[in-house]
Amino acid sequence: MSMEDEVAADKAPKKAVRRAKKQKAKTKRIKKAKLKEGNAGASTAKYPRHTVERALRIARAIIEQNAGRECSENECANYVGVGIGGPFRVEISSGIKYGFLNRPRSGFVGVTERARQALRPQKPGDDIEAMRQAILEAPEISEVYMHYRGEDLPDGSFFENALVDKFGLPLEKVSEFNEIFLQSLQSAHLLERRGEKFRVLDVTSTPERETGADLKRSVGTKIVAGDSCFVVMPFAGAIGGYFQTVYEPAIKKAGLRAVRADADIFGTGKIIDQIWAGINSAKVLVAELTTRNPNVFYELGLAHALDKPVVLVSSNEEDVPFDLKHIRVIYYDMSDPFWGQKLMDKVAENIVSALKNPEEAVFKRVLDSH
């Protein structure tokens, strides 16, 4: 072997070692970057990281110690009595997300009119109204509130599963969000305990309204022309009139055709056969449970047998049978001057939700597991 061959042979393993080291270092950098990216995504939270009441602390300090005038972050931290590190900046972020603080210019913090209303109310209820408006605008918290307004919150793990599956919250943030959400709603008098359940009160005076086209698009191809929604409700009395004033407009808004037995099912043959056909052909049902009408419960039994998704509605909890309470129920309060519009919007939303996620609105059978 020549001298050149010996030198080349000697360098070959060294080059291989260097290449291996470079590849190993590159792989390590990629893994580190992916881990960092994953951790960043997991820890990212759009919602305020503090309760609505705690998020007022900085605004309170500025009002009490600086007459409410804007101040630098350093001054602000001194007023609160904390360092200017990460936790303090997160608290500022929470105040901004609730609309209690703003940034008039870089490095400075200001107090909003909403915070003044919450901390220095001029009349009874000003403070509660300010906190309610903060919740209605807070990222993610407002979405969960609007979804469950007028309903009982699902129990324990069912609510936590919904936060992950429906609202896309990272699993590791669910416990924190749950605590912040519940405490904030309680502070704003938006949560009412009913036995072992919590009812989310609907206080929206001007409800968010999607157009019918928006709702239909959100369901996608699950709705086609002529698809129907069968309304199960008493025919007589004031409640019977809700079909034209509330339920039919809500169903149209969701992109479906409203059908009710007495008005829309006709022809020869037995009425029960026609009702069965109407329920069987419907994409979804709406059931008005107020007054515990026996015909309503009979038709619900048919829907149960056909595994049809049903949107349940009632003016009171007493009229909802115990074995139906595992399904979402919309509760409406006729003492609320906006109850009709709120109910219309909520029924439309829940019809769309039932079409997208029918498991939320289908009767669960005890015998299915046997």
Side-chain angles (χ1 to χ4, degrees), residues 22-83:
K22 286 183 180 180
Q23 184 61 39
K24 186 176 180 181
K26 182 178 179 182
T27 302
K28 188 175 180 180
R29 287 196 303 271
I30 292 173
K31 286 183 177 180
K32 187 176 180 180
K34 287 184 176 180
L35 180 62
K36 183 177 180 181
E37 182 182 352
N39 289 338
S43 61
T44 299
K46 296 179 182 178
Y47 61 88
R49 303 294 293 279
H50 300 78
T51 65
V52 69
E53 200 161 3
R54 172 63 187 277
L56 283 164
R57 184 173 75 148
I58 293 175
R60 181 182 289 107
I62 295 174
I63 289 174
E64 291 177 351
Q65 300 183 53
N66 197 44
R69 296 186 296 269
E70 68 177 64
C71 57
S72 69
E73 289 185 354
N74 284 318
E75 292 172 323
C76 185
N78 288 333
Y79 297 148
V80 179
V82 298

Side-chain angles (χ1 to χ4, degrees), residues 163-183:
L163 292 177
V164 175
D165 300 336
K166 185 179 294 294
F167 300 100
L169 285 171
L171 182 60
E172 67 274 13
K173 293 296 182 184
V174 165
S175 179
E176 178 188 64
F177 179 90
N178 194 13
E179 183 177 354
I180 292 171
F181 180 77
L182 293 177
Q183 288 187 20

Side-chain angles (χ1 to χ4, degrees), residues 322-333:
F322 175 80
D323 58 353
L324 299 183
K325 291 182 179 179
H326 64 277
I327 300 178
R328 292 173 63 186
V329 181
I330 301 172
Y331 293 99
Y332 60 93
D333 179 6

